[in-house]
Amino acid sequence: MLEVTELIRTEELEMVYRTEELETLALNKISLSINQGEFVSVMGPSGCGKSTLLNVLGMLDKPSGGSYIFNGQLISEMNESQRADIRKNNIGFVFQSFNLIDELSVFENVELPLVYLKVAASERKKKVAELLERMGIAHRANHYPQQLSGGQQQRVAVARALVADPKVIFADEPTGNLDSVHGDEVMQLLTELNRGGTTIVMVTHSAHDASFSERTLNLFDGKLVSEISNIVKETL
């Protein structure tokens, strides 16, 4: 029997945005747990706090209250520099708008996280080449983002997220800019990565996309209002 390891835990997590005239409670006492190797989707109407939650879990933002523990470390008490160190070694991001750099080739876009991590050039070359082959886009290595279809661009973005062997991938509406065919290709790719052991947390508006995950967390007005298992149990 495989040992279950908790990767993410939040307790009473809050995020408050303040201006001189207004205070907005974007996350309202959210408590959740995600195990290593899980595929979890986060759903809810626009403005419910989905992307805010992803930004906090991805260590891009510091919560206003509550606690956030990642892989046994109390992230919510860390400063920006400390969070950045953990983020670059443990987390990959996939965005709706791909966020590729137009001036860099496919190979260079995927290689970039390894450059930041000061990985040796020979190792970078080997790792990127293997990953592009795995993603089915090795033949596009010297092309630029604008020469690719939307589905191919998202494959490059997924490859870039994976290249540093992160513990978790955070995906924010990864099929939002794709047609249904290319969207399903990306969801199949994420599913295959998850089956290979990668933890995935995905924000989506799509019930279809959420069905690929093991469970769905539903947010409303900054609160976690329900949790649904997407695993169909087989009957004997």
Side-chain angles (χ1 to χ4, degrees):
M1 191 171 180
L2 292 174
E3 181 181 354
V4 175
T5 304
E6 186 179 69
L7 182 63
I8 289 170
R9 170 174 289 277
T10 71
E11 297 285 353
E12 303 282 293
L13 197 70
E14 290 190 332
M15 175 59 83
V16 180
Y17 294 110
R18 294 182 177 90
T19 65
E20 290 184 3
E21 302 173 351
L22 188 66
E23 181 174 288
T24 302
L25 184 60
L27 298 178
N28 188 355
K29 297 189 182 300
I30 290 183
S31 298
L32 59 82
S33 173
I34 297 172
N35 293 326
Q36 192 166 318
E38 272 199 285
F39 187 168
V40 177
S41 55
V42 182
M43 292 192 71
S46 295
C48 72
K50 300 187 301 297
S51 292
T52 300
L53 178 62
L54 204 71
N55 286 344
V56 171
L57 297 182
M59 305 177 204
L60 297 172
D61 292 331
K62 184 175 182 176
S64 306
S67 65
Y68 171 28
I69 296 171
F70 178 87
N71 200 31
Q73 296 179 282
L74 186 58
I75 304 302
S76 46
E77 296 298 319
M78 294 182 178
N79 60 36
E80 186 174 350
S81 176
Q82 292 170 320
R83 294 198 312 273
D85 281 341
I86 293 177
R87 185 173 64 241
K88 70 182 181 182
N89 288 296
N90 293 280
I91 291 173
F93 292 97
V94 179
F95 301 97
Q96 176 178 343
S97 56
F98 316 137
N99 283 17
L100 301 176
I101 299 174
D102 289 340
E103 293 77 20
L104 298 182
S105 68
V106 165
F107 189 98
E108 291 165 337
N109 266 283
V110 176
E111 181 187 33
L112 199 57
L114 300 180
V115 174
Y116 291 144
L117 290 171
K118 296 181 170 57
V119 174
S122 58
E123 186 180 344
R124 295 200 308 263
K125 184 176 180 180
K126 181 175 182 290
K127 198 162 192 175
V128 173
E130 289 175 351
L131 191 52
L132 292 180
E133 188 70 38
R134 180 182 172 192
M135 295 289 117
I137 49 175
H139 62 297
R140 296 288 196 177
N142 295 318
H143 288 70
Y144 290 84
Q146 297 308 313
Q147 296 174 300
L148 308 180
S149 69
Q152 289 170 332
Q153 288 188 62
Q154 196 59 294
R155 281 179 175 269
V156 176
V158 172
R160 182 184 57 190
L162 273 177
V163 74
D165 298 318
K167 288 187 178 295
V168 58
I169 287 181
F170 290 108
D172 195 353
E173 300 282 0
T175 68
N177 281 340
L178 304 176
D179 58 36
S180 60
V181 173
H182 289 115
D184 275 354
E185 285 181 2
V186 169
M187 290 312 304
Q188 291 289 352
L189 176 59
L190 292 176
T191 301
E192 289 167 16
L193 295 173
N194 175 247
R195 287 172 180 162
T198 303
T199 306
I200 297 175
V201 182
M202 175 183 69
V203 161
T204 181
H205 277 99
S206 167
H208 172 72
D209 288 359
S211 70
F212 286 83
S213 66
E214 296 170 330
R215 59 188 172 111
T216 300
L217 309 177
N218 289 293
L219 300 189
F220 187 78
D221 286 347
K223 295 181 180 180
L224 179 59
V225 294
S226 68
E227 181 179 322
I228 300 168
S229 173
N230 299 323
I231 300 174
V232 178
K233 293 182 179 179
E234 294 182 3
T235 56
L236 296 176

